[in-house]
Structures are given as C-alpha cells and as structure tokens.
C-alpha cells in the first residue's frame, strides 16, 4: 500500500503542512522534527505526489526561464545553451521542473509579468537577455513571484542577480594588450540597451586611464559579426595608427578580424584583436581568438540555486562571478 503525506503526518504527530515543509527544506521546521520526518519517509519509501504537494504548499515546483530576444539571432544560441543547461541541471537537483519561454518588450506590454507567472503556474523566474527597455524589469522589483536576473544588476527583497565581473573582464583584456606594448587601443562595444555594455566600457576606460591613455576610441555594434566588421573598418579609417581592438563579444571580434582583412591588415601582426565570451568557435577560427571566458554554465546553475533560496524566504542579493583571460593567437604582437 502506497504511503501518503497524511500517513507521514499521522506517524510523526505533526500537520501535513509541517511534513511538506520539512521535505522541501524550509528552515522554519525544527531540526529534530525534520530529522524524524525524513527518517520516516526513507523507512517507508515515501514518494511525494506532485499534485498533492502543490495543493498543500501552494507550489507547482516549476521555474520559468524567460529569455528576452531569444529568436533575435541564431548565433547567440550557443551562449544561451550553456546557461540553459546550467539552469536545468541545478533546478532538477533541487526538485524543480523548468519551463522555457521567449519574450520581447512588445510581448511584455501585452502580458504583464505576474500574469505570465500565473498562466504558467511558475513558483519563480530566471530572466535572461533583458534590455533596459524591457517592461518586466520594472514589474519584477515589487512582484510576489521571485526572480533572478542574469547580467542585470538589480536587487530587491524578492529579486537577485547573477553576472560576471564585466569591469574586471575588460580591464584584463586591456591590461593584456598594454603588456604587449599597445598604446592605440580601441573598443567595439555592444548595443547600449545592454547593462553589460555599460560595465565593459567602464572597465575599458578605467584600464586606459590607469595607463595614462585618456582618449578612448569606442564605436558601438550589436554583439553580431557584421557590426564588428563595420566597426573595425570605421575605426581604422579614422585612426590608421590603431594597433589593437577589444570587442565586447566574440562574434564582433571575428567580424573585426574580417573587416581588418578587407582593409589589407594582418591579424595579429599589424592589429591585435581580443573578444569576449570564449565561445567554442574561438579555438577554430584563424587566428585562434584571444578572449575573455565567461563561466556560462555556472551563470545558469548559480541563478537556479539562488532562485531556490529566494523561494525559501531569503532576501535578494547580487552574485558576481570571476572572468578569465584566454590567450590565443589573435594578440601575439610585438
């Protein structure tokens, strides 16, 4: 005969709610009570019913991974996949299912954040790819359904964020170029609706200022290959003495290499190029691309783990991961 949560509650001498909260790791259950319940559950081979559990705890055990601009470019999906993989692995380990949803600023105006959560019966949300004009960024702050933002530094009682130290990452890139002797260094940044663009540019400016180079050369793209190609051409045409370019994405860096070749410039012999992200393709292009590694899987897994802590009543916070400089052949300059 199958053991039910009612049976566990009766044998433990506690309420069904207490049993449910103990099994789901809530901190408001006394340690001795939790231990007794867990021992009974193990001894009796108890397997929880998802439907019964949701009725008692008012939880669906389902998290939403909402990606803004998911269909905008197939080239970005390699980056998203690692994050998605990290989210699903960690969520599964914590006993949650994950629903993937795409959104856009237009869709967010039509379907408010809380309505989306209620429709999908989401306990919490991980939001990735947000732009400054995304409506959900304003709604999330005071929403009852907790959220973890990836790469957007916003914190409230029910909202946390996970990101890489983008300023430090940009400084690592520029410092590498400075150590090689470069003094005319430019940046091709991403679009200005991305929070990471602001942080990477700030780090770029800080590194140049520390080296007493106070005239930063910056153009803006959209993280895509073609904007890197056009950005490199624009920079070289107006600054022919340029010797190095730092790009805010690997795709723009690969585009920059092609743009430099269009102008007859050799990489890295005449102009060094460094990217950002460390996508797999970096190792296989010619020259292999020096870049900043982002721990993408960890971004996803940390976001899911943090969301579970919010669901258990913890306050929101910021989690900042360390970047790493990966040196390959596109910056071997002397």
């Amino acid at each position: 005969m199958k053991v039910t949560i009612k049976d566990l509650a009766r044998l433990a001498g506690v309420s069904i709610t207490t049993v449910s909260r103990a099994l789901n790791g809530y901190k408001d259950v006394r340690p001795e009570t939790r231990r007794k319940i867990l021992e009974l559950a193990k001894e009796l081979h108890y397997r929880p019913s998802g439907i019964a559990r949701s009725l008692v705890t008012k939880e669906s055990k389902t998290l939403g991974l909402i990606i803004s601009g998911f269909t905008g470019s197939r080239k970005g999906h390699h980056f998203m996949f690692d994050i998605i993989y990290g989210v699903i692995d960690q969520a599964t380990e914590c006993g949650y299912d994950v629903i993937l949803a795409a959104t856009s600023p237009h869709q967010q105006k039509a379907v408010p954040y809380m309505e989306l959560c209620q429709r999908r019966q989401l306990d919490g949300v991980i939001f990735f790819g947000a732009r400054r004009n995304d409506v959900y960024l304003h709604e999330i702050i005071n929403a009852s359904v907790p959220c973890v933002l990836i790469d957007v530094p916003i914190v409230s009682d029910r909202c946390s964020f996970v990101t890489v130290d983008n300023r430090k990452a940009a400084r690592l890139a520029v410092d590498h170029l400075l150590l090689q002797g470069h003094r005319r260094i430019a940046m091709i940044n991403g679009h200005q609706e991305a929070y990471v663009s602001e942080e990477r540019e700030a780090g770029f400016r800080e590194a140049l200022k520390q080296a007493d180079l106070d005239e930063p050369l910056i153009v803006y793209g959209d993280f895509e290959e073609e904007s890197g190609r056009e950005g490199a051409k624009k920079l070289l045409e107006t600054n022919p003495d340029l010797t190095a370019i730092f790009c805010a994405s690997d795709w723009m860096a690969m585009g920059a290499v092609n743009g430099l070749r269009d102008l007859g410039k050799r990489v890295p012999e005449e102009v060094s190029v460094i990217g950002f992200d460390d996508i797999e393709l970096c190792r296989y292009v010619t020259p292999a691309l020096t870049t900043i590694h982002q721990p993408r899987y960890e971004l996803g897994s940390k976001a899911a783990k943090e969301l579970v802590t919010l669901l258990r009543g913890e306050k929101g916070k910021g989690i900042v991961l360390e970047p790493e400089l990966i040196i390959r052949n596109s910056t071997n300059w002397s």
Side-chain angles (χ1 to χ4, degrees):
M1 182 176 176
K2 185 178 179 180
V3 176
T4 68
I5 195 169
K6 288 184 179 179
D7 296 326
L8 282 182
R10 178 175 53 80
L11 292 169
V14 297
S15 69
I16 293 174
T17 300
T18 299
V19 172
S20 178
R21 296 183 74 80
L23 293 174
N24 285 283
Y26 284 88
K27 295 181 179 179
D28 58 355
V29 179
R30 289 187 300 175
E32 59 270 23
T33 303
R34 184 198 314 278
R35 186 166 52 252
K36 182 178 181 180
I37 291 168
L38 293 177
E39 287 174 356
L40 277 170
K42 183 177 181 180
E43 180 183 337
L44 299 172
H45 305 289
Y46 170 73
R47 295 291 181 272
S49 161
I51 295 174
R53 180 178 58 194
S54 66
L55 289 172
V56 172
T57 65
K58 303 297 189 289
E59 292 181 335
S60 66
K61 301 300 285 186
T62 302
L63 307 179
L65 175 56
I66 300 176
I67 301 178
S68 186
F70 181 64
T71 57
S73 167
R74 291 184 179 181
K75 290 180 181 177
H77 293 176
H78 63 279
F79 186 91
M80 294 180 190
F81 176 79
D82 289 336
I83 290 176
I84 293 169
Y85 189 21
V87 168
I88 292 174
D89 269 4
Q90 184 62 50
T92 301
E93 185 176 323
C94 293
Y96 288 84
D97 294 323
V98 177
I99 291 178
L100 178 64
T103 188
S104 68
H106 175 73
Q107 291 171 319
Q108 291 167 32
K109 291 177 183 177
V111 182
Y113 173 74
M114 283 301 299
E115 183 177 334
L116 175 68
C117 293
Q118 289 162 3
R119 284 185 185 181
R120 301 295 184 96
Q121 295 184 306
L122 303 177
D123 292 338
V125 167
I126 296 165
F127 192 23
F128 173 58
R131 292 176 174 237
R132 293 181 183 276
N133 61 343
D134 277 348
V135 177
Y136 283 178
L137 289 183
H138 303 287
E139 298 180 357
I140 281 166
I141 300 300
N142 298 312
S144 59
V145 174
C147 179
V148 175
L149 298 162
I150 295 179
D151 281 338
V152 179
I154 295 176
V155 174
S156 70
D157 284 351
R158 304 291 283 161
C159 179
S160 294
F161 73 85
V162 181
T163 191
V164 169
D165 191 336
N166 286 282
R167 289 196 185 207
K168 181 177 180 179
R171 292 196 301 268
L172 285 173
V174 176
D175 287 346
H176 170 65
L177 296 171
L178 290 168
L179 283 171
Q180 291 190 318
H182 293 280
R183 289 298 178 269
R184 291 291 285 167
I185 304 169
M187 179 180 187
I188 303 176
N189 203 357
H191 61 76
Q192 292 174 293
E193 288 299 316
Y195 285 86
V196 295
S197 296
E198 179 181 332
E199 289 297 294
R200 291 171 194 176
E201 182 174 327
F204 175 75
R205 290 178 179 274
E206 287 169 5
L208 290 185
K209 185 175 182 180
Q210 190 168 1
D212 294 323
L213 302 173
D214 294 327
E215 296 181 11
L217 303 171
I218 303 172
V219 297
Y220 297 91
D222 58 6
F223 297 105
E224 299 290 342
E225 183 179 3
E226 188 57 31
S227 70
R229 181 192 290 262
E230 293 305 314
K233 289 181 178 180
K234 181 178 179 180
L235 286 166
L236 262 293
E237 286 167 358
T238 54
N239 304 276
D241 59 341
L242 197 64
T243 64
I245 302 175
F246 165 51
C247 300
S249 78
D250 288 336
W251 280 110
M252 289 198 299
M254 286 183 266
V257 170
N258 290 330
L260 291 167
R261 285 174 176 161
D262 291 343
L263 296 175
K265 294 287 186 179
R266 294 172 299 156
V267 178
E269 291 83 358
E270 294 177 275
V271 182
S272 286
V273 176
I274 183 168
F276 202 112
D277 289 334
D278 193 27
I279 64 175
E280 283 195 30
L281 191 57
C282 292
R283 288 174 274 174
Y284 305 113
V285 296
T286 303
L289 192 65
T290 296
T291 186
I292 297 294
H293 174 76
Q294 290 205 78
R296 298 183 294 275
Y297 177 89
E298 193 176 357
L299 278 169
S301 63
K302 290 282 188 184
K305 188 173 184 178
E306 174 60 18
L307 184 54
V308 172
T309 68
L310 290 176
L311 288 167
R312 291 176 179 170
E314 299 289 334
K315 299 284 188 182
K317 63 178 180 291
I319 298 172
V320 181
L321 306 181
E322 288 293 309
E324 180 185 359
L325 174 68
I326 305 296
I327 300 173
R328 298 193 179 100
N329 298 331
S330 65
T331 56
N332 292 343
W333 183 83
S334 60

